[in-house]
Amino acid sequence: MQMSETEMMLRGYGLTTAEIFYRMPDYQHVLNTFIWQEYDLAPDHPRLFRFIEFWQDKIEGPLHSVRFTHRREIAPGEWRNCAGELTLH
């Protein structure tokens, strides 16, 4: 069963964006880039590392380098549970 994006964010997932530099299979001196974005858990980043392993096993373009950033969309100071509402006047 797949979780919704909101459920994932509430469970601690954040948006991970990776910029992957790889060499063209026929032209090894040419670098190309690929952008990958997925909700993932920091600091282990299991989905990112699974994708990198997939790339190394299935795609012919050898990796040169990977740069990534991670940002939690909902942090503890930005969200709180509100059980009721009080109106004055």
Side-chain angles (χ1 to χ4, degrees):
M1 186 174 147
Q2 198 166 12
M3 292 184 281
S4 71
E5 288 183 10
T6 305
E7 288 175 320
M8 292 175 75
M9 286 187 276
L10 291 174
R11 291 182 185 209
Y13 283 78
L15 190 62
T16 300
T17 304
E19 183 178 19
I20 299 169
F21 294 89
Y22 65 96
R23 298 190 185 278
M24 299 295 289
D26 296 335
Y27 303 97
Q28 291 292 314
H29 60 281
V30 177
L31 282 178
N32 205 353
T33 61
F34 178 80
I35 302 295
W36 177 88
Q37 200 171 45
E38 185 73 44
Y39 285 101
D40 207 355
L41 286 169
D44 296 331
H45 300 286
R47 291 184 179 192
L48 174 61
F49 288 118
R50 193 173 340 135
F51 179 75
I52 291 172
E53 288 173 6
F54 166 79
W55 186 291
Q56 291 173 334
D57 293 341
K58 305 290 184 191
I59 298 177
E60 292 181 16
L63 292 175
H64 176 269
S65 60
V66 177
R67 293 188 323 176
F68 71 94
T69 183
H70 179 83
R71 174 155 162 67
R72 288 186 62 180
E73 300 295 323
I74 298 176
E78 298 175 23
W79 184 87
R80 66 175 198 198
N81 188 13
C82 184
E85 185 175 325
L86 178 63
T87 305
L88 294 175
H89 302 293

